[in-house]
Each structure stands twice: as C-alpha cells, then as structure tokens.
Amino acid sequence: MAFMAIGLGYLYISYGGLSPSILADLSKPEHPLRFAAGAWLAILLISASLLFWQTQRANKHFSSTLAALESEHQRQKSRADLILNSAGTGVCVLDKNAKSLFMNTAACEITGWENQDSLGQSLHCLIQRQNCQIADANQRCVYCPNNDEDNHETHYCDLYDTFVDGKKHIKHDTFWRKDGLPVPVRYVSTPIIENNELTGVFIIFENISHRLQSEQALKDSEALKQAMLESSLDAIVTINQEGLIYEFNKNAEALFGYKKSDIFLKPMADLIIPPQYRAMHLIGMHNYLHAGIDNILRKRIEINAMHASGAEFPVELVVAPININNSVWFTAFISDITERNKAKIAIENARIEAERANRAKSQFLAAMSHEIRTPLNAMMGVNDLLSTTQVSNEQAEYLKIAHQAGQSLQEVVNNILDFSKIEAGKIELELQETDLLSIIDSVLTIMGPKATEKQIDLFASIDYPIPERALIDLARLRQILLNLVSNAIKFTEAGYVEIKLGGTINAKGDYHLLFSVTDTGIGISPSVKKLIFEEFSQADLSTTRKYGGTGLGLAIASRLISMFGGEIGVDSQEGQGSTFWFSFDPLDKRVSTPKSFNSANCFVIHSQKKSIVALYKQLQAVCSNVQLIQSFDEVEHFDSLCLVFVDEHQLPYFSMKEIQSIKASQKLNIVKVLITDVGHRPNHEAWLEYFDKQLVKPIQFNQLNALIKNCVDALQNGQKNPPTDVSVSPPTDDSPKTGHRILLVEDSLANQFVIRAMLEKANHTIDIASNGAIAVETSQKQAYDMILMDLSMPVMGGLEAAEQIRQNPGPNQHTPIIALTASAFEDKKKLCLQIGMNSFLTKPLNMIVLQEEITKYLQINPENPDRNTPEAVMQLGLDEDVIDYSVLQQLKAETSEAIFPQLLNIFLEQGAARSEVIEQAIDQHDFAKLSSEIHAFKSESATFGAIKLGELTEHINLLCKHSEIEHAFAQAKAVKENWLVVKDELQNYIARKP
C-alpha cells in the first residue's frame, strides 16, 4: 500500500494531480492495480524512473538559463566597458573602501596607470602620491583607508568627501600621474547607494590644462588690452549702441576731466559732445544702426569736444564700429589738436610771409637781371661788332680778352639767376622726346674750342644698348652736361675729358640712364667730396682765386638731377682726376643698338690719344669689320668700302714710305679720313691733298654716321667722294641776306645801337620804337616782317604792347613777335607765349642766336619770301587757330616745293585712318590700341602744326602714360571731331594756296 501511495503521489506530481476518473477506475474491484500487488512494485519503479527523468530535464533547463544569463551579463558588461572607454572624460569606480574597481581608457591616459594595475588600490595612493604620509612599515598611507575600516572622518583627501557625507561633490584639484607630473583636473564624485547603504563612489574627471591655459591667455590678453588702452597717447572712449559709455581710458579722463567710475554707463553725448553737435551725433548713430549709412566712420575728422568744465576745444577724431554678438559698439580715438592747430596757423603765416619774401626776391632778381644784362648785352654786342671789322692783331687780342671776360660774367650771372630760380621753385621741366646722341653732340660742339685751346682731348663714348630717344627736358640735360664738362676742362691742365653714356639696372630691375664725365684734372680730396654739391662751395679759396667761378654749377646740376628723380655723385682721388656721374629714369626704356654699316671696313691708325681709342670702339659698334693698325701699309684690300682714319698728331711720325703710300692710294673704294683739332689745319696745307675727307674733333656721333653713310652711298653711285662735304668747322656769323623789315622796340640807347648794327649787317631794314606805346601806334601804320620786343620799358611794357598788337586788327596782328628780356624766370617766358608772342630771347644777345631766330621765322622760303608773310596767310582766309602755318612753311622749306604737297596728302590719309582706329579702340575699350594710336597722332599733329589736335592728343597721351584709363577714353571721344576740323582746314589750304 505504501508503494502504491508513492506511485500515486508521483503520478500526481507528474501529471498534475489525479483526476476523478482515475480515482474511480482505481476503486473498482476489477482494476489491475487494485488486485495485482505485484504490479505496484512495477508502478513504483516506473514512477521513480519518471521522477529521475523529470529532475534531469529541469536541471538541464536551469543550466541553459543560467548560461544565457551569464552571457547576457557579459555582453552588457562589455557594452558598458565600451561606452565608458569611449568617453572623453576619465571614469573611476571605487568600492566602499575607496579601492579602485574600474578605470576607463581616458582615466588611464590622464593618470598614467593601467586599469589592471589600479584594481584594488586606494585612489588616493594612485593620484595623490605626492601628498601621501607613510604610517608604518607596510607602506600604508595614513590618509588612505585600510581594508578593514570604514571610517573616513579623519581622512585628509578631498576625494573622500562623498564617502564621508554621502553627497555629490564637484571640485578642482591636482592629480599626480604615475610618472610624477601634475595634472590639473575638474572632478565630480557621486555616491553609489544600495538598500540605503553607500557601497561605492563613481568619480568622473577631466584634464583642464588646455582650458586653464586658454583662460590664462584670455586674462593676459585682457590685461594687455587694458595696458594698451591706458598707455595709448589718444583718449579712447567706447560706447554701446545705446550711446552709453563702457570704456574710458586714463587719457580720456585727463582730456575730458571725468573719472571712469563717475560716467560708466552714462550717455556720452551729454558729457563730451558740445550741445550744437548732439543732434547730429544721434542722427548719425541712428542712420548707421538702421540703414547702414556711414558718413564719418573710419575717417579722420576735426571737430570740437567739450570738457567737464563746459569749455570746448578742437580734437581729431576717428570712430570705428565693432560688432560683438549681433550688437554694435563704437570706439573713438580722440586727440587734442589745440597745439597742432596753433602750429598750423604759425606755419601758414610763415608760408604767407615766405611767399611775400619770395615775391620780393623774384622782383628783385628780375630787376637785377634786367639791370645787369642790359649793359652786358651792349658790351658783348659792341665787342662782336668790332670783331667783324678790320682790326690789328693787337686789337684782335684785346677783343678776344673782352669777349672771354664777357662770357665769364655772363656765366656767373646765369648761374646765380638759375640757382635763385630753382630755390624759388620757378623752374618747371619741359619734357619732350629727345635724341640723346644729339645732346652729346651739341655739348661737344660747344665745348670743343675751349678744350682745344687748353690742348685737352675731349671725346664721348657710348655703352650700347641705350634708348634712341628719352622723355626729358632737353635744355636742362644739356645744361647739366655743359656744367660738368666745363668744370672738367677748367680743372684739367693736361690729358683728356670723356663724356660717357650707358645704362644701369638697379636691384629692382629698373633701367636707368647713366651719364658720366671723367677728367685727368686736379681731383678732389675726401674731405671736400661731401661738400662738393653744396652751393657756393669749391675745394678751397685758392681754387676760387686760380680757376674762378661761383661754386654754384654743381649745386645747380644736383638740384636739376633731383627734379629729374635721379641721383648724382662723384668718384675722385686728389691729383688723379675725377668722374662725375648722374643717372635717371628715361621713362621710355626701349633700348636699341646703333645703325649698322655692314658693307664698310674701317681701319684706325693707332694713336695714344684717348679720343682715337673711343673712335675705334664707336666704329666697332656701327661697322662689321674694324681694325686697329700701326701704319697705312696694313690696310687690307676689299672690294667694298674701306675707310682709313688718321689723327693729324700722328703725321709727324710717318715715314716717307708711308706718306708716299697714302698719296699713291687712289682706289675708288678707299677713303682716307684726316682727323684734325677744331679751328686748326695740319701744319702743311699740302696734307689736305693726301686725304679725301676731314673730321674735326671732338668727333660727333651724327657727324661720324653721316660721313660713313655718305661714303657708302657715293661708292654705290661710282663716286669716291659724296657730293656734300661732311667736315665740321667752327660756326661763323655769316647769315643769308634776306632784307626783311623789322621793328625793334627797345628803350636802351646802347641796346638800340648794338641790335640795330647786328641786324643791318644782315641787310635788314630796322625801325625803332623806344617804348610799347610807340610800338602799338607804329604797328597800326606799317607792316613788318618781325617785331623784336623788349619787355621792361617806360610808358608801356612789352607784354601789354604785344597783347594790344595781337588784339587790334591791323597789318601786324599775325606778325612774329620775339621777346627780348633779361628776366630770370620761366614763368615770364610762358606769359609771353600766352599773350601771343612767338619766341623768347634772353639778353645779352648773341649775333648768331639772333640771326638763327630771325631765319627760323622769316627765311622759310628764300625764293619767295612774300608768301611767308602774315598778310599772305590772311589773304588765303585760313584759320591760324587750327593750323600753325609757320610750322607748315618751315616744313616746306626743309623739304621741297615738290615733296611738300605729297607730305600733306600722306598726313590727311594717315590722320583719317588713325581717327577711325581710335574710334574702334573706344568702342572695343582697347586701351593698348588707343595709347599707341594717340602717341603717334600726337607726334604727327605737331609735325604738321595742328595746334588744337596736338594739344588734345598730347593731353590724352599723358593720361595714358599715367594709366588714367577711363579719363583717357572719355577725352578720346573728341579726337575725331577735332580731326575733321583739321582736315577741312588743310584741304582749304591746299585748294587756295597761291
């Protein structure tokens, strides 16, 4: 029965209990279990087996569930570790005894400890090792909690505050890394509470080194800004967009009389702006803040400010807006300009006084110039007249001395007046395209006789390539060179003077012309070099006594070079000569090599003269085959042209054989050239028969090129000598006898006599008027070919007289008027030209210069002089405001009667084409094309006397050079209209000319 009970119990358990049907079955007598006792044992065994199987199944289910839980736990732990290790801040978990349970990657990086090494250790010992105090032999820190104690009340470390009070703490501290380096940190310690019991602490911390550095940099910047504000020389005031004062430095306190603490966040307008400007200030702020209108910001303005006392004073003000967080602030930099205004007024008064003094000096100079030059003109004029008469040798010597003395006096006067003009700012540069070689040639021509007189070898040399032409003031450049060459000759007793032209490139790559004048004279001591360009300076008083002069020449040259934008200097050794040099920007930097004569062979017989060596180098530059030989016998024979150059100073050293060789050489292609000094001929006139050509020293570049060209052309035409002789002789006073009628207006009897004598020697008819009033009256009655007009005269001066003659219709309204004056200033010349005078001559007059001026205006067409008179032009009904017909007449004289009409037609064709190209350039906005065409049109207009067109194109050309592009295009629109007027006028001239 017991076993049955057990079995039933198992079945009950196994099958969830016995149902009533099972119980009913078991109670029946016929049920096997009821009556078969042996079966109970089987049932019992089966039940036990079933129970064992069920238990095993439950165990397996529990194991799998436990494994799944452990796997999920591990997965969650890995995920938590990953999250914590990914955090940028350090994380440390402590148990209830402050021992480390976990440190994430960031915490390891900050502390230098690995997580495994930190497990189970006191955090205090890990990061406060510098502060640990060892209590016993077990190396235990008295501040670190022991494993067997929970009391933290006596602990020193702030990290344990959370253990003490169970609260969250946020603090700053210094952690000490494992390597001993300190790390500033900010940490948060949070308690871990389980069942109302503190079981640990969660600490999050970050390295704040960079933040502390940034905060310190910000503090330093703020301190620096404050120091700058306080040390600024200006008063600095900053306001917000409501106009309230926010910044007010110490200078502002001193300037306005307020303390910053007293006016902080108070309206600025009520404190430092005078009442009359306050409304304007408020309107300006409103316009800027609401409409962005900016009238005074970032500009220097002068205005009155107001002191705390109410007094107004002038200030200079600059206001700058500053945008901060979508809010506008304004900072004003203010300086008191009371003293500056006083100084400005004083300077202005001084300027007015200086100008008054300058005007007085200018008037004095003009008067002095007139008073000195007028008698000097008479003396030199009479001397020139006497030299043209029959005089004895002794008298000729006296005249020569008088002439030299007059020239020296004239040079002194000119230097003084030139320097005075420069000082007074009365000199203006007249820039024009200039042939540089022609300038050097003119200097050689002028200074040649003086060099020959002292037996000094004067020559020039060129370092190619150089610009063919330069934009420069021709007269002033010549004046500088004449000054330097004159000094070189003056201070050289023997040897040579060389003028050299080349180019130099500075460190920036800019090309500059370089002129130098080298001599073998007395040289300059080092102590004098620094003073040599000062006015009224010479080496010493003995130099002045021996050589004369005012000491102004180099000072004038230096000032003129400065006006060119260049520099001047000197290299010299006392007793060994000097080299004066100057350089400047030629503006037109297009360099070129000289014209080449490839068919010419040149042979230069060797000489010790430096000028012959320079000739040899110059020939090398222009000819393909140049040889330096010792004798005439070394001349090679070519079929092409052979030029043989012989210096006259070498002739005495020639053997009879060489002389016979020279005389015997009569080949057509061999041209023998004798080089002589100016004013001299070889000792024996017979020498001239031995040579074909003659060159006179100093040899000029254009003279040499012309000789070679003429010889080449002559050989091509089967001639040995060209039809025109290219030898150069000293200028003479011979002039064509034209027989013109001239009115001389001059009040000085002496000058009347001298000028009249000069003109009558040239076969002119002279009428004289002693003042301007008489000249005006006379000019209404009698037609003249020319009027020579003095400017300073009683009753009526020359300027007023010339103006009346030009304004009053009459026979002389268009007659050339030449001003004669001793005035020292360029503005007087401009004034003469403005009122209608044609030219300007400075006293004392030179006969040759006077004759050249007359020839320029009157002897345009010697075959028919009447066609050049003003009456002839008037009769044609031509407009001299459009065309300067004197220019056309001169062009005709310089060409020929046959060629002149062709030139006019060429100009008409080219002008029409250029005006169209200029129109295209304007339409296409092509500045390069416009600049090129305008430059060419300017030159052509000047050549053919198109006055207004020339002025217009010259103005546009200057705009182009200064890159004023839009202005140039605007002005160019008037070119075509002006051209059409010129075209009509020229066609009228061609159709109606007699």
Side-chain angles (χ1 to χ4, degrees), residues 953-968:
T953 50
E954 182 176 7
H955 175 61
I956 300 172
N957 188 55
L958 287 174
L959 293 177
C960 292
K961 286 184 177 180
H962 290 90
S963 298
E964 296 184 26
I965 299 175
E966 297 306 324
H967 197 185

Side-chain angles (χ1 to χ4, degrees), residues 150-155 157 159-167 169 198 201:
D150 297 331
N151 185 14
H152 306 285
E153 294 180 359
T154 61
H155 291 164
C157 187
L159 283 169
Y160 300 139
D161 286 348
T162 300
F163 285 98
V164 174
D165 58 18
K167 296 180 180 179
H169 290 276
L198 189 144
V201 173

Side-chain angles (χ1 to χ4, degrees), residues 894-938:
E894 291 172 350
T895 55
S896 71
E897 193 77 30
I899 295 176
F900 179 66
Q902 300 176 25
L903 293 177
L904 287 180
N905 288 327
I906 290 173
F907 177 57
L908 287 171
E909 292 174 3
Q910 289 184 342
R914 289 201 190 282
S915 67
E916 291 301 325
V917 174
I918 290 171
E919 287 290 303
Q920 294 173 8
I922 295 172
D923 293 339
Q924 299 167 3
H925 210 71
D926 189 337
F927 181 67
K929 183 186 291 184
L930 176 71
S931 180
S932 173
E933 292 298 320
I934 286 293
H935 180 78
F937 216 176
K938 172 184 74 73

Side-chain angles (χ1 to χ4, degrees), residues 245-262:
I245 294 175
Y246 183 82
E247 187 61 59
F248 204 77
N249 73 343
K250 290 189 181 299
N251 277 347
E253 292 180 346
L255 184 62
F256 294 104
Y258 294 104
K259 290 292 183 182
K260 178 180 178 180
S261 56
D262 296 335

